[in-house]
């Protein structure tokens, strides 16, 4: 059984700590357990229930009514609520489907969002925030590697299918080389960037995971791209900075990169390096380059 601190539950559910404490004092359906030193913690079952409650509260359902429902009634109401829900509720539902290893539910949520909002909005406003929450769970060792691989492969399939459906941009389109540097293997963010760039009309040279520096340099010489783009999961800032400096200096090509904000000190930024905080930042950079051509 996993244990979640109050801060972790707040991050995953969006329910603030004051509200959690208030619910604890008023209702008996959510009583956290405590350590020997009297610190609150929540179980897997309680986290799942809180995610469901958060979805229903976002739909205007009163907590007093939720407290009288059985788990089956809550699950049915959540399923009905997701038909008209916002993206935040969908993200929480994806977290639940991952914890439960429920491929059908995961697939239903993604397909319904694509039908309602389109592929790009689904990727940037649902899948991207969901991956952030997966990162929270991964960082606190609250999901098994199998769960992370399970959802990563489902998302990879969706993005790759979407990329294949896009037309190939003309040869005179702006060019971007995408890759993960040596030692980097988490590809979902890079695939999402591939989709965004190709949909905007960029020619994407996608090199994939764990690419040696020499290969990147050779490709840059052959292609003469407008940009390089990479992601870093590595959590040591000095390591990331060394890689960024080497990539931008040896290829003499503007570098776009993303990853955990802890990896980047804005004071070290120069004109050849741009840190992307979100998919929206990437869209802005690529659209501005298109408008200048």
């Amino acid at each position: 059984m996993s244990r979640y601190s109050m801060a972790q539950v707040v991050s995953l559910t969006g329910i603030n700590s004051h509200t959690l404490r208030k619910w604890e004092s008023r209702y008996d359906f959510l009583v956290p357990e405590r350590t020997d030193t009297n610190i609150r913690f929540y179980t897997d079952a309680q986290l799942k229930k809180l995610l469901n409650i958060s979805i229903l509260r976002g739909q205007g359902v009163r907590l007093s009514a939720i407290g009288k429902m059985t788990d089956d009634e809550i699950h049915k109401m959540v399923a009905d609520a997701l038909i008209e829900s916002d993206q935040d509720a969908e993200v929480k539902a994806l977290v639940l489907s991952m914890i439960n290893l429920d491929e059908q539910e995961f697939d239903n949520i993604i397909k319904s969002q694509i039908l309602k909002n389109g592929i790009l909005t689904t990727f940037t406003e649902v899948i991207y925030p969901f991956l952030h929450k997966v990162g929270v769970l991964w960082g606190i060792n609250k999901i098994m590697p199998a769960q992370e691989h399970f959802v990563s492969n489902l998302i990879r399939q969706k993005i790759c299918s979407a990329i294949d459906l896009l037309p190939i941009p003309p040869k005179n389109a702006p060019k971007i080389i995408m890759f993960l540097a040596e030692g980097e293997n988490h590809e979902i963010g890079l695939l999402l960037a591939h989709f965004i760039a190709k949909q905007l009309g960029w020619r994407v040279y996608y090199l994939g995971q764990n690419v040696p520096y020499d290969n990147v340099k050779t490709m840059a010489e052959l292609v003469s791209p407008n940009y390089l783009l990479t992601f870093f999961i590595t959590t040591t800032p000095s390591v990331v900075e060394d890689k960024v400096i080497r990539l931008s200096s040896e290829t003499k090509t503007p570098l776009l990169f993303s990853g955990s904000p802890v990896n980047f000190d804005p004071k070290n930024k120069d004109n050849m390096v741009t840190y992307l905080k979100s998919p929206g930042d990437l869209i802005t950079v690529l659209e501005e380059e298109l408008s200048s051509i």
Side-chain angles (χ1 to χ4, degrees), residues 212-270:
Y213 286 100
D214 289 346
N215 289 16
V216 178
K217 184 178 179 181
T218 300
M219 278 295 293
E221 292 170 352
L222 291 172
V223 173
S224 299
N226 301 68
Y227 286 109
L228 305 176
L229 185 146
T230 192
F231 284 72
F232 293 106
I233 303 300
T234 304
T235 56
T236 307
S238 60
V239 172
V240 172
E241 289 179 13
D242 288 345
K243 289 181 178 180
V244 166
I245 291 169
R246 182 176 177 184
L247 284 166
S248 60
S249 62
E250 290 190 7
T251 62
K252 296 180 174 57
T253 303
L255 174 68
L256 308 174
F257 81 101
S258 190
S260 173
V262 73
N263 292 335
F264 181 61
D265 183 352
K267 289 183 288 188
N268 294 335
K269 181 177 178 180
D270 61 34

Side-chain angles (χ1 to χ4, degrees), residues 41-143:
F41 71 87
Y42 299 82
T43 65
D44 282 324
Q46 289 170 328
L47 173 63
K48 292 176 186 179
K49 190 156 192 172
L50 281 169
L51 284 164
N52 281 324
I53 288 171
S54 181
I55 292 170
L56 294 180
R57 290 281 290 165
Q59 298 297 307
V61 182
R62 294 176 64 86
L63 191 63
S64 56
I66 298 171
K68 298 174 183 177
M69 297 179 191
T70 66
D71 286 345
D72 286 344
E73 289 171 335
I74 289 174
H75 294 158
K76 183 180 185 307
M77 183 170 281
V78 166
D80 293 339
L82 288 176
I83 296 172
E84 299 297 333
S85 65
D86 58 17
Q87 279 88 2
D88 185 58
E90 301 285 359
V91 171
K92 293 168 186 173
L94 288 175
V95 172
L96 278 169
S97 68
M98 177 192 66
I99 293 173
N100 294 325
L101 294 175
D102 189 338
E103 180 176 355
Q104 186 62 62
E105 180 63 17
F106 191 95
D107 190 61
N108 290 342
I109 293 167
I110 297 299
K111 285 181 177 176
S112 68
Q113 277 294 297
I114 290 173
L115 287 172
K116 283 194 294 185
N117 301 304
I119 293 175
L120 182 57
T121 298
T122 299
F123 286 166
T124 58
E125 297 186 16
V126 177
I127 291 179
Y128 186 82
F130 164 71
L131 290 172
H132 170 73
K133 293 190 182 294
V134 171
V136 172
L137 287 166
W138 181 260
I140 60 177
N141 296 319
K142 299 305 181 186
I143 56 172

Side-chain angles (χ1 to χ4, degrees), residues 278-291:
S278 69
D281 286 352
L282 174 61
I283 292 170
T284 297
V285 170
L286 298 184
E287 287 183 335
E288 287 179 351
E289 183 73 13
L290 283 169
S291 66

